[in-house]
Amino acid sequence: MDREMPDPTWKRLGFAERPDFHTSGLGVGIVIIDSIKPHHLVNHLNTRIKCVAVHENMTVTMQDISSMNREGDHRKGEHGLMSVLALAHEPILLEGQVHVGIAPAATFIILDHGAFTTGEGERLKKGMEWILEHGVEWNIKIILSTGWQALDNEVHLKNTSENSTVKALATAVQQGILVICSNGNTRLNNIMPPIQYLAVGGYVDRGKADYSLHAPFPDEPYGRNGDGHFRPDLLAPRLHLTIPSYETSGKRVSFYEGTSGAATLVAGVAAHLFSQFPSLSSEMLRHFLVEHGEPLEGDDNLAPRINVENTIRCMNRVDKPRYISKTLPMISLKNQNSSSAIHSMDDIERALSLTVLVERGELSREELWNFTKDSSAIVRKIAVSTLGEPMNERERKLYWVSLIHETEGGVRGWYMHGLLQNAPKEEIHHWINWSTDINWSVRWCVSEYLAQYPECFPQLEKTQDPDTIHIKALPLRQWYKLFNDVT
């Protein structure tokens, strides 16, 4: 990161003072659905970190992280390691500020169920059942799921109850355990978590606690999920999240990014509050976090920024109200004809219906093109992603024209993904204009296009940080200007 060291994550979350290394999260169990690789930076957790694995034959094993195999794919388990470090790393002093994990005294159970492979839902259910049965002393209060969507098609819209993760965690939710999940990193996708989960999105805080510097993340997904419920619930910083460097590069810090990092920080806050207020229910905690967050101006996203100090101040009031949970109505096509629902005035009903028709293969390509003109970006994403790559040169030109007129970033991403297939180098004049698009997927496609012709074009460095999009694209655009001048 080409800037000064970020503020500690605890300060950016609104803590009045840094979490106590010996008490924050004490007595609270957090299940992290992920894999993890052994590392000396988590050795201080000793017996407070357990690794539970569910194997293909549905057997469950548990081992200490210190006894795990340190060889193999060096990337496997990196994501889970970053989550644990964000939650539990030891204090480090960086440029005069103390950085520390959010809930370092908690107990951590890493549940590796072979995510994103066939049968993962059954294995996750088996693993959770095993943990709930054998881990009573862990006092499980939180489940952190950063990949809740599992093997679902992330564009097709369905009721969340059909999701394998939702089915697998249903018993835990019924027992009052708080499931915290990431809401998604880009508007390319449609599906978002169920209302039963605390869904966490992100915003741009530029690494600082100063509210005047904060802004919406331009590619942040938000809106209604497949049940018709607004998501996410809460926002947290999603860029430049400092953790001790787990790499052998000699650096003192690494950076965790995305809504996986944001959701992890919120899980740490939840553990901190559960340890301070042991009688607190999951519903009450969720209510306080959302109700006493800080609004983020300049966006249609209704979710507030997390603010720990505000939350604790309100929780300490003697006259705090008793929270009554609400059951929200859910959209479903079970009692409707899916073909008639395609004409609904409700865009979620149209998207649910279009998903059914697409999966049945009942629409012609011409009919799909008609849905690319729908007023709802959710519907348009389903249509364009289903169209896939252009069928001929005439349709390829139509893709470029449609891309220019498309106002929603996620839909643009699907047009670009289609255009990326078999893209000739002579199209550089088209591609260059999209190197600064706010949608990550659009820029990713530009980068991948250029990578196909490394001998002809400069490359575009990928970045998640909206403040550096134009900086990273500048060398490419300067080259293109010279290229045009010469030709």
Side-chain angles (χ1 to χ4, degrees):
M1 189 175 74
D2 302 325
R3 61 180 74 193
E4 61 183 296
M5 184 64 63
D7 289 341
T9 52
W10 58 265
K11 187 175 289 187
R12 294 156 62 184
L13 292 167
F15 279 88
E17 56 187 25
R18 71 173 182 265
D20 188 283
F21 182 71
H22 301 288
T23 62
S24 181
L26 183 64
V28 176
I30 306 175
V31 175
I32 301 175
I33 302 174
D34 212 331
S35 59
I36 189 171
K37 64 179 183 179
H39 202 285
H40 68 88
L41 287 172
V42 298
N43 287 349
H44 65 281
L45 293 172
N46 297 315
T47 60
R48 287 190 293 109
I49 183 167
K50 304 291 183 182
C51 302
V52 175
V54 186
H55 307 281
E56 287 190 12
N57 63 0
M58 298 299 282
T59 59
V60 181
T61 58
M62 183 179 74
Q63 61 184 141
D64 292 331
I65 193 170
S66 58
S67 62
M68 292 174 62
N69 183 10
R70 293 177 179 270
E71 299 180 358
D73 184 359
H74 74 284
R75 301 292 294 184
K76 177 174 171 54
E78 183 177 283
H79 190 270
L81 176 62
M82 289 192 290
S83 293
V84 172
L85 289 175
L87 290 167
H89 76 79
E90 294 181 293
I92 53 175
L93 182 65
L94 299 170
E95 297 184 7
Q97 298 197 83
V98 176
H99 297 242
V100 68
I102 304 302
T107 299
F108 303 93
I109 299 88
I110 313 303
L111 175 53
D112 184 356
H113 67 295
F116 300 100
T117 57
T118 303
E120 61 174 347
E122 291 81 4
R123 292 191 298 274
L124 179 58
K125 187 174 187 295
K126 180 73 173 182
M128 281 307 309
E129 289 174 346
W130 190 95
I131 289 171
L132 294 176
E133 179 183 351
H134 294 85
V136 176
E137 74 278 8
W138 295 330
N139 189 30
I140 304 300
K141 291 281 192 178
I142 300 162
I143 297 172
L144 174 61
S145 177
T146 54
W148 78 276
Q149 68 276 10
L151 287 175
D152 283 356
N153 183 308
E154 295 184 40
V155 184
H156 290 178
L157 204 65
K158 298 182 179 182
N159 290 143
T160 59
S161 60
E162 297 184 37
N163 174 267
S164 63
T165 298
V166 173
K167 294 176 182 177
L169 300 183
T171 300
V173 172
Q174 290 167 6
Q175 293 184 12
I177 296 174
L178 179 63
V179 178
I180 299 176
C181 65
S182 49
N183 193 59
N185 287 330
T186 171
R187 294 192 64 81
L188 186 73
N189 303 328
N190 275 333
I191 66 171
M192 288 182 281
I195 198 70
Q196 293 84 358
Y197 297 178
L198 179 62
V200 180
Y203 65 95
V204 178
D205 75 345
R206 298 181 169 88
K208 296 297 178 182
D210 182 354
Y211 275 16
S212 68
L213 300 175
H214 298 177
F217 188 76
D219 192 25
E220 184 71 13
Y222 63 91
R224 294 196 297 164
N225 66 8
D227 305 323
H229 301 142
F230 185 88
R231 312 270 69 208
D233 299 290
L234 199 62
L235 304 177
R238 62 173 286 163
L239 297 171
H240 319 308
L241 310 178
T242 55
I243 55 177
S245 180
Y246 55 88
E247 302 158 307
T248 57
S249 59
K251 297 179 181 178
R252 291 201 63 190
V253 294
S254 297
F255 295 103
Y256 196 6
E257 294 188 337
T259 51
S260 289
T264 298
L265 295 182
V266 172
V269 170
H272 175 84
L273 295 176
F274 276 135
S275 65
Q276 282 201 351
F277 303 89
S279 63
L280 198 62
S281 70
S282 294
E283 285 190 345
M284 184 71 87
L285 173 59
R286 175 175 172 171
H287 168 75
F288 276 114
L289 285 173
V290 175
E291 288 299 309
H292 303 292
E294 290 286 342
L296 182 62
E297 303 297 331
D299 202 355
D300 294 330
N301 190 346
L302 304 176
R305 287 166 289 183
I306 189 170
N307 187 300
V308 178
E309 185 178 7
N310 278 1
T311 303
I312 292 177
R313 185 187 305 117
C314 294
M315 291 171 72
N316 279 323
R317 289 177 183 164
V318 177
D319 61 342
K320 58 178 177 283
R322 178 173 172 267
Y323 173 64
I324 306 297
S325 62
K326 302 174 183 176
T327 301
L328 298 176
M330 188 185 82
I331 292 176
S332 176
L333 297 186
K334 288 182 179 179
N335 299 320
Q336 298 184 47
N337 182 300
S338 59
S339 297
S340 62
I342 199 69
H343 304 294
S344 171
M345 296 296 291
D346 189 291
D347 60 342
I348 299 301
E349 288 190 354
R350 293 202 305 281
L352 291 170
S353 176
L354 181 57
T355 294
V356 172
L357 296 174
V358 164
E359 292 187 343
R360 290 177 181 170
E362 295 182 5
L363 297 175
S364 68
R365 197 164 182 86
E366 182 180 358
E367 288 172 316
L368 283 172
W369 269 109
N370 288 334
F371 286 110
T372 67
K373 303 176 182 65
D374 193 275
S375 60
S376 168
I378 299 173
V379 173
R380 297 200 301 277
K381 277 184 269 191
I382 297 171
V384 179
S385 66
T386 305
L387 285 170
E389 63 182 279
M391 298 292 289
N392 49 48
E393 191 58 35
R394 183 193 67 79
E395 197 173 58
R396 191 170 187 88
K397 291 178 180 178
L398 182 57
Y399 266 56
W400 282 115
V401 171
S402 300
L403 175 65
I404 291 170
H405 290 97
E406 178 55 58
T407 59
E408 206 275 341
V411 185
R412 290 199 300 274
W414 282 113
Y415 277 122
M416 288 295 274
H417 188 265
L419 286 163
L420 181 61
Q421 317 310 312
N422 303 309
K425 67 179 180 180
E426 291 77 20
E427 278 190 346
I428 183 63
H429 302 284
H430 289 306
W431 288 87
I432 207 79
N433 296 325
W434 299 98
S435 58
T436 56
D437 192 84
I438 62 170
N439 181 265
W440 157 259
S441 304
V442 172
R443 300 194 309 278
W444 182 89
C445 287
V446 174
S447 179
E448 291 298 301
Y449 166 77
L450 295 169
Q452 293 177 8
Y453 305 104
E455 72 285 354
C456 300
F457 310 131
Q459 300 302 292
L460 175 64
E461 184 180 348
K462 301 180 181 75
T463 178
Q464 295 276 7
D465 186 352
D467 288 342
T468 63
I469 291 174
H470 286 269
I471 295 171
K472 300 298 184 184
L474 184 59
L476 176 65
R477 288 182 167 260
Q478 288 176 331
W479 166 85
Y480 184 67
K481 185 177 185 303
L482 290 172
F483 175 77
N484 270 347
D485 291 343
V486 171
T487 57

